Each structure stands twice: as C-alpha cells, then as structure tokens.
Amino acid sequence: MVKAYLRYEPAESFGVIVSVESNIAYDSSGKHLLAPALEKVGVWHVRQGICAKTLTPSIASRGHSLAVTSIASSPSSLIASGHADGSIRIWDTDGGTCETTLNGHKGAVTTLRYNKAGSFLASGSKDGDVILWDVIGETGLFRLRGHRDQVTDVVFVDNGKRLVSSSKDKFLRVWDLDTQHCMQIVSGHHSEIWSIDIDPEERYLVTGSADMELRFYTIKHDSVEEEPMNGENIVANGDSSSQNKWEVLRQLGEIQRQSKDRVATVRFNKSGNLLACQVAGKTVEIYRVLDDSEAKRKAKRRVQRKKEKKHGKETFEGTENGDMNGGQKKGDNVAVIDGPKEARNPSITVPDVFKLLHTIRASKKICSISFCPITPKNSLATLALSLNNNLLEFYSIESKGATKTLGIELQGHRSDVRSVTLSSDNSLLMSTSHNAVKFWNPSTGSCLRTIDSGYGLCGLILPHNKYALVGTKGGGLEIIDIGSGNCVEVVEAHGGSVRSIAAIPDDNGFVTGSADHDVKFWDYQIKQKSGQATKQLTVSNVRTMKMNDDILVVAISPDAKYIAVALLDCTVKIHFMDSLKFFLSLYGHKLPVLCMDISSDGELIVTGSADKNLKIWGLDFGDCHKSIFAHADSVMAVQFVPRTHYVFSVGKDRLVKYWDADKFELLLTLEGHHADVWCLAISNRGDFIVTGSHDRSIRRWDRTEEQFFIEEEKEKRLEEMFDADLDNAFENKYAPKEEIPEEGAVAIAGKKTQETLTATDLIIERLDIAEAELKRIAEHKEGKSNEKAAVFQANPLMNGLSPSDFVLSAFSDIHSNDLEQTLLALPFSDALKLLSYLKEWTSHSDKVELVCRIGTLLLQTHYNQLVSTPAARPVLTILRDILYERVKEWKDTFGFNLAAMDHIQQMMASRSDALFHDAREKLLEIRAQHSKRLGERSDIGEVKRKKKKKAT
C-alpha cells in the first residue's frame, strides 16, 4: 500500500522590521511608514511604533525570488511594490489586499515612481528598461529601451509629460511620453548615477553619483523658454550643441559633498525647502533650499568676499604693469562681467541656493531614507531612516540640527538568528543573536521579552518555563529568568565558545560542549543564596569529559544511555552516559559534522555536515544506513520529528527539507528564507517547526491535514524544473542582441510567461469548440427544414453558453496586463476567427473597452496579412462602423456624467466661501473655531463660578 504523509506549509514569519534590499516610503497620509520585510511589506504606525498591517503575497506565489526590491506610494491609498522576479504588485493599504500584479521586467525592479495624479507608474529594472504603466487600466503602456546598464532612478517632469531616468551607464535620459522617444541624453558624470529627484516646483533636478559633487539641472518646459540663472553660460551635455530647442535639462552647477562615499539617495521633502543626500555609509547630509532673497544676500556676500580677497592680494603683491588701479579694475573684470552692476545684482549660483544645514550620523550603515509628507509644527521636517541591522529610526530636522525622536527595534534581532529553542509545552520560543535573547509567542509571532546578552550560539529552556540557559561565544553560560526578563547570572563555563547544550532526559541536568575540547555535565536546582532575597536557579559542574578536538555538537539519546559528540576531525564519538566509556566512532563525512540528532526510539542517529551530506546511522552497531546529498551548501541543523523517523534539515542553500529516514526519500522542500538558514526547532507533537535565518527572520511551518504521496511530489518537482527551463527558453541566450539605438527605442511593455501561453491555448481551444458547435447548429437547422425533427443537444463543455459567449468567457480570467502577450501568440487563422466574434460582443455594454482593445491589438499585430486577405475585409468594414458607434455612445455617457459632476461641484462651491477642493480644510477650520468658542465659554463660566464662591 502506498504510504501517505501530511504536508507542512508556511504559516507565520516574524522578526524582520526592515530588510536591506529595498527602500522605505511614507504613505500619502504621513501616518504610516512602508517598510520592506523580505517578500512582505510592513505598514508601521509611526506614532505608536507598531506594525499596523502586513501586505503579504498569496501563498501560491511565495518564494525567495519574490523579495521586495522597491516601494512607491501614490497620492491615494494605493502603493506599488517591485520584486526580485521583475513583477510589480499594486496594494490597497486600507484593505491590505493586492489589487493587481504587473509582469513586464526580466530583472529585479530597482525603482518605482508615481506621477502627481497617481494615474501612471514608471518602473526601472536591472534589465536596463523603463516601463510606463497605466495604474487605472492595470496594463503596461510601453517599454523604453536605451540604457546600457541597470536603471537606478526615474522621475516625472514637466507635469508628467516627460520622464527622466538615470542609470549605472553614467547617463541621464529624457523621454517624451507623448511621442515615446528619447529627447535628450545628458552626459558629464564620471561614474554611475545612483539617484535623481526634482523639487515640487520643478526648478531643480539633482543627481547623485560616486563623484564628490551633487549636480543640478533646470527644466525647460514647453510653454516657457527658460533662461539660465542670471545669464550664466551653462552647458548641459558638455558642449554648446546641447543648447537647442530639444533641450530639456540644462546644467545649473554643482555643490561639493561632505562625505567621500558614493551617493545612494537624493530626495527633496514635499515642501521643497530641504534636500537630503544619503550616502552608502552612516551619514545623511541635509541641505536647506534658500528662498530668492536669502540666495541674493548670500551671492552678494560671496562677491564682496571675492573682491576683498582680490583687493588684499593685489595690495600685498603689487601690479606687474605698475598701475595699481588699472590692475584692480582688471582683476574685478575677471571676477564679474561688470563690477558695479555685479555688486548690485550678483549672479545666483547653486551653492548660493543650497546650504548645508546638518549631517545626521547613524549607528550603522543606512539603507534608505524617506521624508514624511506632513510637515510638523515645531520642526522643518521628519526623516525616516532604515539601517542594515533591522532597525528603523526617525529624526526631527530643525533649523539648529536634527534630533532622533523614535527607534523601532524591539520586534527583531540586530543580526542573524543563531539558535531557536522551544519550551516543553510549545508556548515559548527563545532565539539568540550576537547581542540579545528574545522570547516569542510562536503562535502569533509577537515578541514577549528582549534581554541583552553575549553572542548566543545555543540555548535551552528548562522545564516549567521559568528559566533559560544560553551558551555564548565567549564561553559563558547565561542563566535568564524568563518572568522578570533579567540575566540572573553568567557562569564562566568553558575556555572556548559554547557550541551546544543538550538536556539530560528525566533528570535535572544538562550537558555542554565547547571549543576548549571539554564536555561538561551540569546539575541545576533552585535555591536561595546567601545575600539574596529570593530563590534563584544555580548550576554546578558535576563531571567533565576531555576530547581530542574542538566539540561542535552534543546529543543525548532519549533513554539517557548514550552521549554523541561531534568533533572538528569530522568524526562522531559515542560514549556511555553513566561510565563515559567509548562505544562507537562514526566516520565517513569529508568535512566537520555541524549538526546531529537521535530518534525518539534511540535506533537512528542522523548527522549533517559541511560536505552537504546527510548520513543516517544505526545506533546499535554504528553502521551507515544511507548517505544522502541533501543540500547545495552546508547542512546547518537537523532534527527528528518526535516519535517518528521523519527528519527535517536546513542548510545554507536557504531551503528546509523533509525526509523519510526509513525509505531515504525526500518528502518536501520548503522555500521561503532569503538567506542561510542557521537553526531549527520542532514542537514535541511535531505539529509545527520553527527555523531561524541569516535574513533575521523566524518562520513557522505548520503541519496540515492535507495528504501527499512521494511519487506525486517527485512529478511536481520534475514539472517545476521543466517549467523553469521553458521560462528560460522564452529568451534565447545565444541569439545575437540587436544594437539599441543611441536615441532610445520603444517596445511592448508585457512579458511572455507561462500564464500568457496557457491563456492563448485556452482561446484556441474554445474557438475550435465554438466553430464545431456552430456547424452542428447549422446542420440541425438544415435538418429541421428537411422535416427531420430531432432535439438539439448542446455541447456540455459549453456550460449552456452560446458559442459567442463561450469564446468571450475565455477572456474573463486573462489579466489586463497579459492580454497583449496572449493575443501576440495567437496564429493568424485564429485571430481572424476571433475578429468575427467582436461584432456580437459589442452588444454587451460592459465589454466595449475589451472589444476595442482586442480589435486594436489584432489589427496592429496582423495588419499586413489582414490587408492582403480578402476574407478579412467584410469583417473589418463591419467593425469599423460598429466600434466607432459604440465608443461614441460611451464617450457621450462619460461626458454627460462629467458635466453633471462639474455642475454639482460649482453649485456646492457657490454655496460656500471655500473652493470645492478646499472644503475639507474649511470644515476642519470651522470645527476648530467652534471648539475654541466652546472652550472660551467654559473658561468664562468657570471664572463666574469662582467669583460667586468668593462672594458667598
């Protein structure tokens, strides 16, 4: 009989505050901060310092390739998150749901930016392409090609008519979105451009690179022919040829940065009076954008200082031609074009406008910054920082400097999770890292306690869940009182790092193994020491066993008969517990054994090694039952499921694997971690497991009631490998790449995927079924005319639909973004069949937009063949008249509705002294005045009452 197993699935992930692969961003309200958390996006309430919501992709699409790499917030409640597989997800933060998924990029998404209205989204990727997306229509408009390297940033300019993109190829490109071509290529940078931004008034566009300068450009709009600052001679592309009518960006100047590290991010705040420059280090430089009057005063002082310096130098050195006055005049002419006029109206340069206000220095490397869109009352702005040690910090920027106001850190470790330990009743989870021990509720993922400690490598929660032990890298054994959250005592247990702690079954004792070659046996008891008010846990060393090499792991059999010790010499020594006499030596691993465990019945011992292998041994004779190549990197932890011979193993290849140690078969592969998996813990009932990783996340995997079979899982893995090869086959790696034109090019925004091919197959299948059904209907009608009466039996596959509706239903599950790629793969013969159905579909009023899109796409794709095919002409002639008529009806309806709403808006505005879009602010102002009057009345009443009391 075929054996069935119960499936384990990902259930919970916690411990990550902010991951390093992506940027952070405020939402439009300024109350929440959007922080990437590996494959999820955390919505943090800034004032309360808690994670209010978590935006999680569906379980079916989870995997380490889905790490969030970019986040952008729209003016509405929508946000966009770009992922490592090139997909973009649009989320509704109010409902916490994923509205749509956009597929177009072939590499990780590196930057996202909404336009001011929030209707368009621009994305850049590692594949060097920029794609413009229609957020409302949930589809890609076009792909802009031209950059030779990764796109690092994009920004909309000229009221969204143009787009500026930066890249690691050292160039800026200006794209006209109406004509869809590259208008200008801006050179001059000597290294990769990492970030660009523009102020809200579109006066200055700033770029940051590895150069020591921040470069500034001015925007030339269509309507206004702008001149350079006060007649300065400015060259944008390094030569005078850039000053032509197509020029959009013109270089204004540059300012010197303070830090030598490369620029990571440059951002203006929403009011445009501050500029933040974050470098790839620990500092953020804050610049104040001065207004015109301050900039003029600063320019005058600069000119005056220059004149005084020139005058003093000439007085000291004299003049070569003997005429001091003439020399002075000549020197003045070098500094300014017209001395007296320049003194009155000095030319304002970029350093006159941007003044260094403050430099924020963080404790660790800064990954990303974000300005709060709401300006606080008592300061200039609020700046959020994400650090590479899983920490969020908030700074209040004032005119005198910047002060830290909040830090979110308690919900996660500062470094990778080195060990996880479950309590005996599975109600507590302890995790250790380089400087702290945390206690969690494993069912909810909430952090209960955080205790400062040494570098914890292993841990143990003692029975009754009152105390815990942590073995540290320094050789200490820390005793932690869980209830009070304090470290009671640090025992100097070993001369080297404590690598392993194992509890002795049915005994008040435990064993520690260390790098100092010692295995120590300990007893513990709760008693009151002299000078202490309460009873506390104390430990005492009762026995010590010397080994010949560093000890990596210690394991004790469930019957407390054997102790197994893994040494640095790649062997495992097994001794009797009572006498400590040598029993067996397990050898066969080529690299040191990093983990091992003994089954509940004491029959098997499994070892995992740095040689990527799992070995299953019999504990009775020490024979190796099987050696399995388990992971693509070192096996870091292995453990039996209690009362079974099933084994879980984790490794540096980011995978969790489930094995049958009797059949030596791989049962499941669980993906989810984004970095090396260090540790593993299994509940005593085997209903869930917990893993800790270098990505600072702790994940829980629950056992479900769903059964699976080994053969089915093998087939699934083979299908996944086949699908992966098929996805790679979409792009011919060996095909010569066409030269990209220097001025840029436009391509289709979508991407061919397995879903689009499946949708194409479905359309072709339904077209064939519908064609066969139409023939049967025609034959039935012909039979009726010949008086051969018979009841017509419709095709059951059509679910009672007409042939036309049956074909139309194939488009119901096709995503709007995938429609173009789906129709591109359609053969011409089937495309012609599809066109014949469009006339009937126009009768569905809600399908007019879909019908127009299908007709337009098919016409663009097969234009030449349709023109040269006589059978297509009648269909196109009919569609020309019908589509124009239907579209005109809908345009009239929309126009009527818009006019009605404009009329209602004008009526409401006429009844109030506030404009319609200012109605909310006006209402709040009226409420504030009303509450103020009520407060004044209550104060007056209080005074009157006090006077009456005094009079009486």
Side-chain angles (χ1 to χ4, degrees):
M1 185 175 177
V2 180
K3 187 173 183 181
Y5 302 86
L6 294 179
R7 187 180 298 279
Y8 283 81
E9 288 186 350
E12 192 72 39
S13 174
F14 49 92
V16 179
I17 299 171
V18 58
S19 51
V20 299
E21 292 89 359
S22 173
N23 63 301
I24 57 174
Y26 274 93
D27 68 349
S28 56
S29 67
K31 295 179 181 178
H32 298 95
L33 183 73
L34 310 168
L38 302 177
E39 75 277 6
K40 300 187 289 187
V41 177
V43 182
W44 292 86
H45 194 288
V46 177
R47 280 191 178 179
Q48 298 175 1
I50 60 171
C51 187
K53 206 170 293 179
T54 302
L55 309 178
T56 309
S58 60
I59 294 176
S61 61
R62 284 183 184 175
H64 55 80
S65 63
L66 283 178
V68 176
T69 54
S70 184
I71 295 175
S73 176
S74 75
S76 63
S77 63
L78 297 179
I79 70 159
S81 64
H83 295 260
D85 61 350
S87 64
I88 299 170
R89 285 177 170 77
I90 309 295
W91 303 86
D92 182 7
T93 51
D94 292 340
T97 57
C98 180
E99 297 294 309
T100 183
T101 302
L102 307 172
N103 290 304
H105 287 292
K106 299 168 187 174
V109 179
T110 53
T111 179
L112 293 168
R113 187 85 67 129
Y114 279 96
N115 66 341
K116 286 184 179 178
S119 56
F120 294 112
L121 174 70
S123 63
S125 168
K126 284 186 176 179
D127 59 13
D129 294 345
V130 178
I131 298 180
L132 189 70
W133 306 90
D134 181 0
V135 179
I136 299 169
E138 298 180 356
T139 183
L141 297 178
F142 48 83
R143 182 192 304 267
L144 301 171
R145 284 180 168 167
H147 284 297
R148 304 300 181 90
D149 207 336
Q150 167 184 330
V151 178
T152 54
D153 211 346
V154 291
V155 63
F156 286 94
V157 299
D158 198 7
N159 297 319
K161 295 178 183 176
R162 293 167 179 150
L163 185 74
V164 181
S165 60
S166 64
S167 170
K168 290 173 71 174
D169 62 6
K170 308 177 188 177
F171 292 106
L172 291 174
R173 283 182 177 265
V174 184
W175 308 87
D176 190 312
L177 300 181
D178 292 332
T179 59
Q180 302 175 16
H181 80 282
C182 181
M183 301 179 62
Q184 185 185 4
I185 302 171
V186 182
S187 62
H189 290 83
H190 304 294
S191 57
E192 297 95 341
I193 307 171
W194 288 97
S195 183
I196 58 175
D197 198 24
I198 190 170
D199 67 315
E201 296 179 4
E202 296 193 355
R203 294 183 301 165
Y204 309 106
L205 184 136
V206 58
T207 64
S209 64
D211 303 340
M212 287 303 295
E213 304 88 12
L214 289 177
R215 297 172 187 262
F216 291 83
Y217 298 85
T218 184
I219 310 297
K220 178 182 168 187
H221 299 274
D222 288 336
S223 57
V224 181
E225 188 72 26
E226 293 186 356
E227 293 297 328
M229 276 190 180
N230 290 353
E232 279 188 276
N233 184 21
I234 297 165
V235 179
N237 290 348
D239 57 10
S240 60
S241 64
S242 63
Q243 296 184 6
N244 54 41
K245 63 179 181 178
W246 299 112
E247 181 187 74
V248 178
L249 295 183
R250 290 182 292 186
Q251 188 172 339
L252 288 176
E254 54 196 31
I255 58 174
Q256 294 290 322
R257 297 191 292 111
Q258 304 295 312
S259 173
K260 294 182 180 179
D261 296 320
R262 72 164 177 85
V263 175
T265 312
V266 286
R267 286 291 181 267
F268 285 95
N269 66 337
K270 189 168 185 180
S271 58
N273 62 342
L274 291 177
L275 171 66
C277 172
Q278 174 225 335
V279 301
K282 299 181 180 180
T283 60
V284 179
E285 297 171 9
I286 307 294
Y287 293 89
R288 179 80 180 269
V289 184
L290 304 180
D291 56 25
D292 293 339
S293 59
E294 290 177 311
K296 284 180 181 178
R297 285 198 297 270
K298 192 174 178 183
K300 282 182 180 179
R301 289 197 298 269
R302 173 176 53 81
V303 172
Q304 189 65 29
R305 283 196 301 269
K306 190 182 289 187
K307 288 177 66 177
E308 290 173 358
K309 187 177 179 182
K310 287 269 184 186
H311 182 70
K313 186 176 180 182
E314 289 170 358
T315 305
F316 181 75
E317 295 180 356
T319 57
E320 293 182 1
N321 57 8
D323 185 2
M324 178 168 269
N325 291 331
Q328 184 180 347
K329 189 175 181 182
K330 185 178 180 182
D332 286 344
N333 284 338
V334 172
V336 293
I337 297 170
D338 185 2
K341 187 179 178 182
E342 179 70 16
R344 292 194 301 270
N345 298 309
S347 60
I348 299 174
T349 61
V350 169
D352 296 331
V353 180
F354 293 86
K355 176 186 176 183
L356 181 64
L357 181 67
H358 187 66
T359 300
I360 298 174
R361 302 185 189 279
S363 57
K364 291 289 182 181
K365 185 178 176 182
I366 302 170
C367 295
S368 176
I369 61 172
S370 180
F371 273 112
C372 180
I374 307 300
T375 305
K377 294 180 180 179
N378 302 324
S379 60
L380 297 174
T382 301
L383 185 68
L385 276 64
S386 69
L387 307 184
N388 71 341
N389 63 341
N390 199 23
L391 179 63
L392 287 174
E393 289 184 348
F394 298 86
Y395 286 83
S396 176
I397 301 171
E398 302 169 1
S399 56
K400 296 180 181 179
T403 55
K404 182 180 174 182
T405 57
L406 178 66
I408 298 175
E409 59 180 6
L410 293 179
Q411 290 86 347
H413 283 288
R414 305 280 73 74
S415 65
D416 44 346
V417 181
R418 291 307 300 265
S419 75
V420 287
T421 311
L422 283 166
S423 60
S424 56
D425 59 356
N426 304 324
S427 62
L428 274 180
L429 172 69
M430 181 177 72
S431 62
T432 65
S433 68
H434 80 294
N435 66 349
V437 173
K438 288 183 179 288
F439 290 91
W440 310 81
N441 183 339
S443 60
T444 62
S446 57
C447 184
L448 307 175
R449 292 277 191 279
T450 299
I451 303 156
D452 293 335
S453 73
Y455 199 131
L457 297 177
C458 54
L460 177 67
I461 297 177
L462 298 178
H464 309 300
N465 303 340
K466 292 184 178 179
Y467 292 94
L469 303 171
V470 176
T472 65
K473 196 173 183 179
L477 192 63
E478 297 183 354
I479 303 173
I480 294 172
D481 187 338
I482 298 174
S484 64
N486 295 321
C487 181
V488 177
E489 186 181 1
V490 180
V491 180
E492 296 299 327
H494 289 274
S497 56
V498 181
R499 301 271 178 80
S500 182
I501 296 180
I504 300 175
D506 303 324
D507 189 16
N508 290 337
F510 60 93
V511 179
T512 58
S514 168
D516 63 358
H517 302 188
D518 287 350
V519 176
K520 291 190 176 182
F521 295 78
W522 305 79
D523 279 345
Y524 62 85
Q525 55 183 336
I526 299 174
K527 64 180 182 179
Q528 186 172 352
K529 288 186 177 180
S530 58
Q532 291 180 345
T534 58
K535 292 182 178 181
Q536 289 181 353
L537 182 78
T538 59
V539 298
S540 56
N541 183 18
V542 292
R543 282 192 297 175
T544 301
M545 181 170 63
K546 292 281 185 183
M547 305 301 290
N548 297 326
D549 212 332
D550 291 9
I551 297 162
L552 300 179
V553 198
V554 174
I556 298 173
S557 62
D559 55 2
K561 185 178 181 181
Y562 304 112
I563 178 170
V565 183
L567 303 177
L568 197 62
D569 62 2
C570 310
T571 63
V572 177
K573 308 292 184 186
I574 300 177
H575 295 255
F576 290 100
M577 274 284 288
D578 49 3
S579 63
L580 300 185
K581 286 185 177 180
F582 176 76
F583 173 53
L584 290 172
S585 178
L586 310 179
Y587 56 89
H589 283 291
K590 296 176 182 177
L591 290 173
V593 174
L594 303 177
C595 53
M596 62 180 175
D597 193 31
I598 300 174
S599 61
S600 300
D601 55 8
E603 292 182 1
L604 299 177
I605 178 171
V606 60
T607 57
S609 167
D611 62 7
K612 311 172 188 176
N613 288 331
L614 278 181
K615 288 185 184 291
I616 301 167
W617 316 77
L619 200 56
D620 44 4
F621 299 109
D623 55 324
C624 181
H625 292 183
K626 188 72 174 178
S627 180
I628 304 170
F629 183 76
H631 290 267
D633 210 329
S634 302
V635 184
M636 299 306 299
V638 63
Q639 195 169 340
F640 277 100
V641 177
R643 295 176 293 281
T644 68
H645 282 181
Y646 305 146
V647 180
F648 277 97
S649 67
V650 299
K652 284 188 176 181
D653 58 356
R654 309 178 179 185
L655 300 178
V656 180
K657 294 193 175 184
Y658 186 32
W659 307 86
D660 187 335
D662 291 331
K663 295 186 175 181
F664 318 122
E665 291 277 4
L666 173 63
L667 304 179
L668 284 177
T669 299
L670 304 176
E671 295 184 359
H673 281 290
H674 297 250
D676 309 347
V677 188
W678 288 105
C679 48
L680 165 72
I682 301 180
S683 69
N684 53 15
R685 293 189 297 271
D687 54 344
F688 70 91
I689 69 168
V690 179
T691 54
S693 169
H694 181 69
D695 62 14
R696 301 184 178 93
S697 71
I698 300 171
R699 294 177 185 264
R700 194 182 85 239
W701 316 78
D702 285 357
R703 186 174 64 198
T704 64
E705 295 302 318
E706 181 187 352
Q707 292 185 347
F708 70 94
F709 303 94
I710 295 177
E711 294 303 322
E712 289 181 358
E713 289 302 311
K714 283 182 180 178
E715 288 178 10
K716 279 185 184 178
R717 287 194 287 271
L718 287 172
E719 285 177 6
E720 287 173 2
M721 290 172 62
F722 175 75
D723 290 342
D725 292 339
L726 193 63
D727 290 338
N728 293 334
F730 292 155
E731 301 298 325
N732 190 352
K733 298 178 182 179
Y734 304 103
K737 292 186 178 179
E738 56 181 337
E739 280 295 320
I740 299 172
E742 188 62 28
E743 68 274 7
V746 180
I748 297 170
K751 181 175 72 170
K752 187 184 290 186
T753 61
Q754 189 66 38
E755 287 78 13
T756 61
L757 290 180
T758 305
T760 304
D761 292 339
L762 179 64
I763 292 172
I764 294 172
E765 180 188 351
R766 296 204 174 181
L767 282 170
D768 293 339
I769 294 174
E771 187 180 15
E773 188 70 3
L774 285 172
K775 285 182 180 178
R776 289 182 62 232
I777 292 172
E779 290 173 0
H780 178 71
K781 287 181 179 178
E782 188 178 341
K784 266 191 173 181
S785 62
N786 294 334
E787 297 183 355
K788 294 179 181 178
V791 179
F792 180 75
Q793 296 292 333
N795 191 337
L797 293 174
M798 297 179 65
N799 298 322
L801 297 173
S802 66
S804 175
D805 292 341
F806 181 64
V807 177
L808 180 61
S809 64
F811 291 88
S812 60
D813 295 331
I814 299 176
H815 193 272
S816 177
N817 184 49
D818 295 333
L819 182 62
E820 189 169 12
Q821 288 291 334
T822 301
L823 295 177
L824 275 175
L826 209 61
F828 176 70
S829 58
D830 292 304
L832 201 57
K833 292 178 189 175
L834 195 59
L835 280 171
S836 63
Y837 287 101
L838 296 186
K839 176 188 172 183
E840 194 170 343
W841 291 350
T842 53
S843 59
H844 300 274
S845 58
D846 58 334
K847 301 294 183 183
V848 172
E849 184 182 356
L850 175 64
V851 170
C852 289
R853 277 197 70 195
I854 293 172
T856 306
L857 290 171
L858 291 177
L859 188 61
Q860 289 173 344
T861 306
H862 304 285
Y863 175 76
N864 293 327
Q865 286 175 287
L866 285 170
V867 169
S868 59
T869 305
R873 290 175 188 173
V875 177
L876 294 176
T877 306
I878 294 170
L879 286 177
R880 180 189 63 187
D881 300 331
I882 291 178
L883 288 182
Y884 274 119
E885 185 182 343
R886 294 289 183 268
V887 171
K888 188 176 182 303
E889 288 176 5
W890 275 100
K891 283 183 70 176
D892 292 342
T893 304
F894 286 139
F896 180 82
N897 291 339
L898 285 172
M901 286 191 287
D902 287 338
H903 179 64
I904 294 170
Q905 177 179 333
Q906 290 171 8
M907 288 178 60
M908 294 182 70
S910 64
R911 293 175 186 173
S912 172
D913 58 344
L915 294 174
F916 185 75
H917 59 80
D918 295 332
R920 187 173 181 273
E921 288 77 6
K922 187 68 178 177
L923 180 63
L924 294 174
E925 184 183 341
I926 293 170
R927 285 178 177 173
Q929 290 175 356
H930 182 63
S931 60
K932 187 178 179 181
R933 283 197 297 270
L934 288 176
E936 288 174 354
R937 286 177 186 173
S938 62
D939 292 341
I940 292 169
E942 185 95 20
V943 171
K944 286 181 179 178
R945 282 195 296 272
K946 286 182 179 178
K947 284 182 179 179
K948 284 182 180 179
K949 282 184 180 179
K950 285 182 180 180
T952 54

